[in-house]
Amino acid sequence: MRRKDVVLMATVTSFEALPHPSRSELRQFAELFGPLFAASSEEARRQAVAALSQCRTVPTTVAFFIASQPIAVAAPFLASSPCLDDETLIAVARTQGAAHARAIVRRENLSPRVIDALVSLRQDRPAPQAADRTEIAETPASPSAAAAQEAERRWREEELRQRIKTLANHVHRTEDDRLGLRTVSPVQEALLIRFARSRDGGMFATTLADCLSASRWLAERIVLDISGRQLATTLKALGMDKADGVYVLQRFYPHLGEETSGLTRGAMLWNGLDADQCGRRVEAWRRADSHTATRESEFAVQAEEAVAASSETVRPLRSATPLRRRG
């Protein structure tokens, strides 16, 4: 148990040291945290949660998991974690009970939406009795107001239900799921490395087009960017391993193999790219490529129809009776 406690705290400490964790680092931490947390002692869990309460970036699934723990563990996270959004706070308050709701109330900045949700929860529970408290009689709500409140309550319950389903889907996703992002397969990655090693730009572009489910024209345009930035953006968006990605870049663009302060220009280029931004940029390229391909296909069909129509028009003229010669 002691060894597992040390591993849990080491994992949390390493994650804390990341100023801006990438998507892959967030996914990796989310995969490690649950099993380590479950295998650790109560004291280690409290220490880990207290440390994560100060992190500005925590994976959504981990945040919801921690916030749903018993209040003795979850309290500091609920009261101070900056990564909890309104939806998560409301979901926890409605599903975990009064103790969790009281911990949420201690947060410094609560949005009007969360306050309304907490107030509605208090209205559903009996008010505490106090000897020196003046009781205020409330006028019963009219039938129309009661119906509106009931409709709002049902809407909020459905919203909460959908939120929990979404979080549950993230918790139980498979290891190779990059949250819906297009990912290079092991076979495709091996082919890209092989063709980069031999500097076979043609086969590399064909494989890259297959990875992107896009046209070969888009793949060629990416590779022809001699700065290497477009290819680096694409490989990082596809989730290629850093060492393999830098190797591919340096094979096609030798200038990226030059070293500065012990780091190649290719590695510096790779490190300077944000995985999320790369993913959005590549998806934009793919959408534009898809629209271009659709327009070209429509143009080809129109051209074929025009040729067919002209052929049908010319055919009767060719079969017509020739003019008689004069004289």
Side-chain angles (χ1 to χ4, degrees):
M1 179 67 71
R2 175 64 179 169
R3 182 177 60 188
K4 293 177 180 178
D5 290 353
V6 172
V7 174
L8 173 63
M9 293 309 302
T11 302
V12 171
T13 302
S14 299
F15 182 75
E16 281 185 292
L18 300 173
H20 302 289
S22 65
R23 181 181 291 270
S24 61
E25 289 169 336
L26 289 171
R27 179 177 61 83
Q28 196 173 40
F29 178 73
E31 293 172 352
L32 291 172
F33 183 80
L36 292 175
F37 187 89
S40 299
S41 65
E42 187 77 9
E43 182 60 26
R45 294 178 184 181
R46 292 182 182 181
Q47 293 178 7
V49 171
L52 291 175
S53 298
Q54 308 305 315
C55 291
R56 300 201 62 84
T57 305
V58 175
T60 303
T61 54
V62 173
F64 187 77
F65 173 78
I66 293 175
S68 301
Q69 293 300 305
I71 192 61
V73 174
F77 195 77
L78 290 171
S80 61
S81 174
C83 69
L84 292 173
D85 56 20
D86 288 354
E87 289 78 7
T88 303
L89 291 172
I90 294 172
V92 171
R94 289 178 175 172
T95 58
Q96 301 302 319
H100 287 69
R102 285 195 295 270
I104 294 172
V105 170
R106 294 201 297 269
R107 295 177 67 88
E108 292 184 2
N109 298 316
L110 285 176
S111 70
R113 183 182 177 191
V114 175
I115 292 173
D116 289 343
L118 293 171
V119 170
S120 68
L121 289 174
R122 286 187 60 83
Q123 289 176 348
D124 292 339
R125 303 189 185 102
Q129 300 295 327
D132 59 346
R133 177 178 173 182
T134 303
E135 298 294 332
I136 301 176
E138 296 183 356
T139 304
S142 64
S144 59
Q149 292 176 358
E150 177 65 15
E152 182 180 5
R153 183 184 66 80
R154 291 181 179 179
W155 178 82
R156 288 182 174 181
E157 288 180 353
E158 179 61 26
E159 184 183 33
L160 171 62
R161 191 175 297 111
Q162 295 300 324
R163 173 68 176 174
I164 292 174
K165 285 182 179 179
T166 301
L167 292 171
N169 289 336
H170 285 312
V171 170
H172 299 293
R173 67 181 185 272
T174 57
E175 292 183 358
D176 60 347
D177 181 14
R178 297 174 60 238
L179 302 178
L181 296 177
R182 187 170 301 277
T183 305
V184 62
S185 71
V187 174
Q188 290 171 332
E189 186 169 13
L191 288 172
L192 290 174
I193 295 172
R194 175 180 178 177
F195 296 135
R197 183 181 297 114
S198 60
R199 292 179 178 170
D200 188 339
M203 294 302 298
F204 184 91
T206 300
T207 307
L208 186 62
D210 180 61
C211 296
L212 295 171
S213 297
S215 69
R216 181 185 170 88
W217 175 85
L218 174 61
E220 290 177 343
R221 192 192 70 177
I222 291 171
V223 176
L224 287 175
D225 172 29
I226 59 175
S227 71
R229 189 173 188 84
Q230 289 190 13
L231 182 56
T233 299
T234 304
L235 297 179
K236 195 156 192 175
L238 290 172
M240 179 175 275
D241 178 75
K242 176 184 175 180
D244 293 336
V246 172
Y247 173 79
V248 170
L249 293 174
Q250 293 175 178
R251 291 298 296 175
F252 279 114
Y253 315 104
H255 67 279
L256 295 180
E258 299 174 3
E259 291 192 8
T260 303
S261 302
L263 198 64
T264 65
R265 294 177 62 182
M268 288 189 288
L269 172 60
W270 186 277
N271 294 339
L273 295 173
D274 179 76
D276 291 340
Q277 293 180 359
C278 290
R280 289 193 293 269
R281 183 164 298 175
V282 171
E283 286 304 311
W285 293 346
R286 292 184 63 255
R287 286 194 298 270
D289 179 66
S290 175
H291 295 330
T292 301
T294 301
R295 289 195 297 268
E296 289 178 351
S297 176
E298 292 175 350
F299 178 78
V301 171
Q302 293 173 0
E304 291 178 359
E305 291 176 350
V307 170
S310 62
S311 299
E312 291 176 359
T313 303
V314 172
R315 190 176 300 114
L317 294 176
R318 289 177 177 175
S319 60
T321 303
L323 294 176
R324 293 181 179 177
R325 296 181 178 178
R326 292 181 179 181

